[in-house]
Amino acid sequence: MAHDTHFEARSQVQQEYYRKENAAKMRSQVTQFAIMILLTLVAFASAVADFAPNFVKPFVLLLAGVQVVQQLYAFMHMEDKKAYHIGVISFFMWGGALIAFTFFLCFLTIIWW
Amino acid sequence: MSSVAQKKGFGAQVWDYLTTVDHKKIAIMYLAAGTLFFAIAGLEALFMRFQLMFPESTFVSAGTFNQLLTMHGTTMLFLAATPLLFAFMNAIVPLQIGARDVAFPFLNSLGFWLFFLGAVFLHLSFFMGGAPDAGWTSYASLSLYSPGHGIDFYVLGLQISGAGTLISGINFIVTIITMRAPGMTFMRMPLFTWTSLVSSTLILFAFPPLTVGLFLMLVDRMFGANFFDHTMGGNTIIWEHLFWIFGHPEVYILVLPAFGLFSEIIPVFARKRLFGYSSMVFATILIGFLGFMVWAHHMFTTGLGATANAIFAVATMTIAVPTGMKVFNWILTIWGGSIKVTVPMLYALGFIPSFVAGGVTGVMQAAAPLDYQLHDSYFIVAHFHYVIVGGIVTALFGAAHFYWPIMFNRALNEKLGVLTFWIFFIGFHLTFFLQHFLGLMGMPRRVFTYMGDQGWDLFNLISTIGAAMMGVGVILLVLNVLISIKSEPLNRRDYWGDGRSLEWALETPLPFYNFKQTPLVRGYDPYWIEKQEGNKEGMVYAEPVGDIHMPNNSILPLIMSIGTFIAAFGALYSPWGDQAIAGTADSVSPGLSVGLIVLGLGITVGAMIARSLKDDLGYHVHVAEIEAIEKDLAQYRATGKKGGNK
Ligand code: HEM
Ligand SMILES: [Cu+2]
C-alpha cells in the first residue's frame, strides 16, 4: 500500500538544508570509499610482502570484516538511525550473521572434515 | 466494485483467482492446493501401509515403494503442511493485526504460484518416467546414482516451490512488522501472529541453505559437476549438512504456527486469558533460535566424532525447555477455565498429550549413544509422526473448524466434527504408537517389506488398520467441508461467542478491504476489551472513514512462475547430466535444452521487467463507494439477498 507517488514543494530554507546535508553525505561516502580502497591495498600488500601465513590469513579476514561493516553502514545506510524500523533491520542482519557464524565456527572446530 | 453484490460468470471468477492479490483469496487457494496435495500424499501413505500390512507382501514393488515413500514425505512437508499453514497465516494474520492486506500483495500471489507450479512439476514425475526415490532427505550418496529423472524432478520442483515459500516468508515478516494497526505493539500481538513472525524468520534463514544444496545437486546431476561425488574430490556429507541446517529449522517452521493456532484456540474455549503471554513469546523466539543449533542430531551416526555428538546432543535437549514452558502455559490456561469442549478444543486437548509424547521420544533420540540404536528404525518414524500429526495436523484440522466462519462465512458441522476427531485420533495412535516398539524390536524404516515371524506381524497389521481409520477421518472432514457449502451463511461476528482477538470483531462476510476504518488497539485481546466495555461495534477506530488505497490484480505472478516451470524442463532434459551420458535417462539436444532454459527464464525476467517499468500505483476506493458496499453488505446480512448491482 506504499505506492502513493509523493510530490513535495520545498521552501528555500529546506532546499538549502537538503543541499548541505547531501553534500555532507557525499563527502562521507567518498571518504569511506577511500578507506576501503586503502584497506584493500593493505591486504594485497601484506600478502605480497610474504609475511607469515599465520599472520596474513587472520589479518586479511579481519580487514574483510571491517569492509562488510562499512558496506552495511556506509553504503547500505544502516547508519541512518531515523530510518523506518532500523532497529528491526539491524536485529535481522546481525541475527542472521550470528547464526551463519556459528555454522562456520562449528565446521572449523568440532566437525572435523 | 462491490464485492458481494456482483454475480460473475465462471470465466470471470477463474480469471479473478488467477490474478488476485487479495490475501483472503490467496488463503483459499493455498487451502485448496494444500488439501489436494495432502490427499495425494495421504493416498501414497495408505499404499505403503497396505504393502506393509502382511510380511512379504507383493502389493507394490520395491521400486514403487521407494517412490511412494519419497513422494509422501516430500509432499506432506513441502506441499501440504507448508501451504496449509500459509493458508491460515494469509487468512488470519492481516485481520489479527488490523491490516487491509499483506505488505506486498503482488509477492504474495507470486509466492503462491511458484509453490503451486513447483508442486505440479514435482508430481509430473509420476507420468514422465518415475518419481524421485531417494527419500525426502535425498542423501547425495544415494540420489546421485538414481537412474532416470526422478531426483531431477525433486531438485527442480523443490527449487521452484522453495523460492515461493521464501518469498511468502519475507512478505509475512514485513507485514507483521510494518502493517500493525495503531496500538498493536509487539507485546500485544496475538500468539498466532507472533509464531507466524518467528516461523517466517526461520524461513528467511533456513531456506537459503536448502537452495544452495539443491543448486549444487542440480549441477551435479544435470550438468556434470561433482560437489557431492567423493570419487571426484567432492564430499557427499556436505549435502547432509546443508539439508539438515535447513531441515531441522523446517520442522519448527511448521510446528510454531501450529503452536500459535492452539494458543488462539485454547483461551477462547477455556474462556480465560492465555496464561503466561510474555513467556510464550519468549519461548517462541528461543525455540526459533535454538532450532538452528541442533541440525547434526540427524547425523549422529555419520561419524562426526564424540565431541560434536556430545555438543549437539546437549543443544538438542535444551530445546525441550522452552517447549515445556509452552506446554505448561497451555495447561495452566485450561486449568480453572470454564471449558467448552467444541471441535477445535477437542483437537487442542488431543494435541497436548500427543505432542508431549513426540517431544519425549525426541529427547530420547537426542541422547547420541541411544540414537545409534534408534536411528533409521521405526522408532524415528513414530517420533516424527507424533510431533507432525499430533502437533501440526491436529492444529490444521482444529483451526479449520475454528476459522471456517471467518474464512467462508459458514460453519463446519460440530457432530460430524466430533466423530471425525475420534476416528482420526484413534487411528493416529493405532498407527504410530506401536511403531515405537517395532523400532525397538529392530524393524528398519524405509523398507518395502519384511520377513514374517519376527514378532512384527501383528503390530504392522494394527498399524495399517489405524492408517485406514485416519484415511476415513480425512474423508469425513472433506465431506464436512462439502456439506458446509450448502449450509446457511452465518452473517455475524464472533461465531464462537468468546473471541478475544481482533479477527473476531469483524462481521462476516468481510468486504475486500477488511476494515472500513483502521482500528485502534487498546490492549492485548482487543476485541475482549471492547466487549467488556459494551462496545457493540467490536472496535474503536484510529481514523475517520476515508478513501482506501488498494492494490491492483495482476497476471504477472502466474506468468513469472510459468517461466520457471518451462526453464525447469530445459534443465531436466539436459544432455550433460551423468545419467543422460550413461544412457540411463533420456535427454534432448543441447540446443533444445539451453533454448528451453533461456526461453523460460526470459519469460520470467521479461515479466519482472514489465512489472518494474510500468508503475502500478493501485487504486482508491472512495468514501461513497465504501458506504455503498457497507450498505450492500448490511442488507445482505439482514435479508440474505444480494443488493443492487453497482
Ligand atoms: C523436544 C523436541 C524434539 C527433539 C529433542 C527432537 C529430536 C529429534 C532427533 C534427535 C531426531 C533424529 C533421530 C534420528 O534420525 O536418529 C529427530 C528426527 C526427526 N524429528 Fe524431531 N525432535 C523434536 C521435535 C520435533 C518436532 C517438533 C518436529 C516436527 C514438527 C520433529 C520432526 C522430526 C522429523 C521429521 C525427524 C526425522 C527426519 C528424518 O530422518 O526423516 N521433531 N528428532
Ligand atoms: Cu531435528
Side-chain angles (χ1 to χ4, degrees):
Chain A
M1 258 165 255
H3 289 302
D4 297 86
T5 346
H6 186 64
F7 297 101
E8 78 174 25
R10 288 178 182 171
S11 71
Q12 184 66 29
V13 183
Q14 272 175 324
Q15 182 67 17
E16 307 237 306
Y17 171 77
Y18 282 119
R19 174 166 298 177
K20 253 224 284 330
E21 187 157 288
N22 286 347
K25 273 198 184 133
M26 196 56 179
R27 211 165 35 241
S28 101
Q29 298 236 321
V30 173
T31 325
Q32 294 287 350
F33 190 57
I35 295 175
M36 285 178 112
I37 292 182
L38 192 75
L39 291 183
T40 313
L41 281 178
V42 172
F44 272 100
S46 71
V48 174
D50 249 1
F51 290 134
N54 277 345
F55 168 76
V56 174
K57 280 182 196 163
F59 184 65
V60 171
L61 281 176
L62 179 76
L63 293 182
V66 173
Q67 294 214 12
V68 168
V69 173
Q70 278 185 307
Q71 171 73 29
L72 288 175
Y73 279 80
F75 297 111
M76 295 168 77
H77 298 290
M78 270 173 69
E79 95 287 1
D80 186 354
K81 288 281 166 299
K82 290 195 293 289
Y84 199 44
H85 287 296
I86 188 72
V88 180
I89 293 170
S90 312
F91 173 78
F92 269 78
M93 291 300 301
W94 291 115
L98 177 73
I99 288 173
F101 177 73
T102 56
F103 294 163
F104 287 106
L105 192 69
C106 174
F107 280 108
L108 290 173
T109 52
I110 58 176
I111 296 178
W112 45 263
W113 59 64
Chain B
M1 283 306 325
S2 166
S3 61
V4 275
Q6 278 171 338
K7 195 126 186 95
K8 293 195 189 112
F10 180 72
Q13 287 242 349
V14 170
W15 180 252
D16 189 37
Y17 271 88
L18 292 182
T19 59
T20 189
V21 294
D22 182 342
H23 71 98
K24 298 181 286 302
K25 288 185 179 157
I26 291 179
I28 292 173
M29 293 198 291
Y30 268 122
L31 193 68
T35 308
L36 171 70
F37 291 116
F38 186 81
I40 293 175
L43 212 60
E44 286 156 3
L46 282 178
F47 286 152
M48 283 190 285
R49 273 323 315 170
F50 285 134
Q51 162 68 14
L52 293 172
M53 187 144 92
F54 300 110
E56 293 183 84
S57 146
T58 51
F59 177 66
V60 294
S61 69
T64 313
F65 189 91
N66 285 349
Q67 295 181 20
L68 290 173
L69 171 94
T70 305
M71 287 300 280
H72 167 72
T74 313
T75 307
M76 276 297 187
L77 286 166
F78 291 99
L79 314 177
T82 310
L84 287 173
L85 288 168
F86 271 141
F88 290 110
M89 282 159 67
N90 261 302
I92 303 303
V93 167
L95 305 183
Q96 282 194 329
I97 62 176
R100 293 202 169 108
D101 207 323
V102 292
F104 305 119
F106 182 89
L107 287 189
N108 202 13
S109 156
L110 180 60
F112 171 79
W113 288 113
L114 281 173
F115 141 71
F116 185 69
L117 286 177
V120 170
F121 185 82
L122 179 55
H123 277 81
L124 284 181
S125 62
F126 276 121
F127 311 104
M128 301 177 74
D133 55 2
W136 83 285
T137 52
S138 203
Y139 278 8
S141 41
L142 189 58
S143 57
L144 285 188
Y145 308 102
S146 165
H149 283 303
I151 304 296
D152 306 343
F153 276 106
Y154 169 96
V155 169
L156 293 159
L158 288 192
Q159 194 70 287
I160 295 173
S161 78
T165 307
L166 187 54
I167 287 174
S168 308
I170 293 171
N171 195 2
F172 275 106
I173 296 176
V174 181
T175 303
I176 295 171
I177 287 173
T178 64
M179 307 269 293
R180 283 165 293 136
M184 178 60 81
T185 58
F186 276 112
M187 291 312 278
R188 286 178 183 172
M189 279 180 353
L191 249 256
F192 182 53
T193 299
W194 255 117
T195 51
S196 298
L197 175 61
V198 175
S199 165
S200 304
T201 309
L202 295 191
I203 289 178
L204 176 65
F205 292 148
F207 269 72
L210 176 70
T211 308
V212 170
L214 287 173
F215 183 77
L216 298 183
M217 175 80 82
L218 192 160
V219 288
D220 262 20
R221 273 205 52 114
M222 285 160 259
F223 296 97
N226 297 302
F227 290 103
F228 301 127
D229 184 354
H230 67 282
T231 60
M232 304 292 282
N235 185 337
T236 182
I237 302 294
I238 300 284
W239 164 267
E240 297 180 25
H241 280 297
L242 285 171
F243 187 87
W244 286 118
I245 284 176
F246 147 79
H248 188 83
E250 164 73 3
V251 302
Y252 283 100
I253 290 168
L254 298 176
V255 88
L256 283 179
F259 286 173
L261 289 169
F262 283 125
S263 304
E264 300 294 324
I265 291 173
I266 290 174
V268 168
F269 297 113
R271 291 189 266 184
K272 214 168 135 242
R273 191 189 148 111
L274 183 68
F275 186 90
Y277 171 80
S278 37
S279 71
M280 281 298 225
V281 171
F282 173 72
T284 307
I285 297 172
L286 195 61
I287 291 176
F289 180 74
L290 288 177
F292 280 100
M293 306 295 155
V294 298
W295 78 90
H297 65 214
H298 296 275
M299 301 168 60
F300 283 148
T301 56
T302 39
L304 298 174
T307 318
N309 276 6
I311 290 175
F312 277 104
V314 173
T316 303
M317 290 176 193
T318 56
I319 294 204
V321 177
T323 313
M325 270 161 73
K326 280 183 163 283
V327 172
F328 285 115
N329 279 334
W330 288 316
I331 293 175
L332 288 172
T333 308
I334 300 173
W335 190 300
S338 109
I339 304 161
K340 221 163 44 176
V341 185
T342 56
V343 176
M345 190 63 175
L346 258 184
Y347 278 106
L349 295 174
F351 150 77
I352 296 177
S354 313
F355 184 80
V356 167
V360 169
T361 50
V363 176
M364 290 168 71
Q365 292 158 193
L370 178 57
D371 190 56
Y372 269 75
Q373 176 73 24
L374 304 176
H375 183 62
D376 266 347
S377 77
Y378 256 82
F379 193 87
I380 305 301
V381 180
H383 157 69
F384 64 73
H385 283 93
Y386 260 78
V387 280
I388 291 174
V389 182
I392 300 163
V393 179
T394 52
L396 291 169
F397 288 7
H401 278 266
F402 190 54
Y403 283 126
W404 212 259
I406 294 184
M407 291 176 75
F408 295 100
N409 195 26
R410 301 282 191 289
L412 294 179
N413 184 299
E414 278 287 301
K415 283 211 185 75
L416 186 54
V418 172
L419 182 70
T420 307
F421 168 80
W422 283 113
I423 291 180
F424 185 81
F425 192 68
I426 293 171
F428 157 57
H429 283 283
L430 276 185
T431 312
F432 295 112
F433 186 69
L434 294 172
Q435 292 187 0
H436 292 111
F437 300 100
L438 279 175
L440 293 174
M441 288 187 243
M443 178 161 168
R445 69 188 278 204
R446 294 177 172 170
V447 287
F448 83 105
T449 192
Y450 52 93
M451 302 281 273
D453 299 321
Q454 305 183 77
W456 304 350
D457 305 6
L458 179 65
F459 285 3
N460 269 303
L461 177 63
I462 296 175
S463 189
T464 300
I465 295 171
M469 283 177 74
M470 289 169 79
V472 173
V474 174
I475 290 172
L476 288 180
L477 183 63
V478 172
L479 215 62
N480 205 338
V481 170
L482 296 180
I483 294 172
S484 84
I485 297 176
K486 287 280 157 213
S487 72
E488 283 296 300
L490 301 174
N491 300 332
R492 57 171 295 180
R493 58 164 66 92
D494 196 11
Y495 173 74
W496 300 101
D498 294 298
R500 309 178 72 88
S501 38
L502 205 49
E503 73 270 27
W504 299 109
L506 290 163
E507 220 172 331
T508 52
L510 306 183
F512 59 92
Y513 46 75
N514 300 348
F515 295 91
K516 182 175 63 150
Q517 292 150 276
T518 303
L520 177 70
V521 176
R522 298 196 294 157
Y524 178 62
D525 280 348
Y527 180 47
W528 176 255
I529 294 176
E530 300 301 335
K531 269 198 289 195
Q532 288 298 300
E533 300 191 356
N535 181 346
K536 287 272 175 303
E537 294 209 29
M539 61 180 102
V540 284
Y541 303 109
E543 57 172 21
V545 181
D547 290 0
I548 295 176
H549 184 220
M550 294 301 286
N552 282 325
N553 285 359
S554 172
I555 192 70
L556 288 178
L558 179 57
I559 295 179
M560 289 181 194
S561 311
I562 289 175
T564 58
F565 188 79
I566 294 173
F569 276 108
L572 186 91
Y573 288 116
S574 138
W576 298 282
D578 295 348
Q579 302 297 334
I581 290 170
T584 43
D586 38 356
S587 59
V588 296
S589 70
L592 185 54
S593 166
V594 173
L596 277 176
I597 296 177
V598 171
L599 172 73
L601 293 184
I603 292 175
T604 305
V605 173
M608 284 156 99
I609 292 175
R611 169 76 183 170
S612 307
L613 291 186
K614 201 186 143 297
D615 270 339
D616 182 356
L617 302 177
Y619 64 97
H620 283 91
V621 193
H622 297 291
V623 175
E625 283 172 88
I626 298 171
E627 269 158 9
I629 294 170
E630 293 288 327
K631 223 173 88 196
D632 261 10
L633 276 172
Q635 191 200 344
Y636 170 72
R637 288 183 193 122
T639 64
K641 283 208 250 324
K642 310 235 164 186
N645 207 341
K646 308 245 160 42

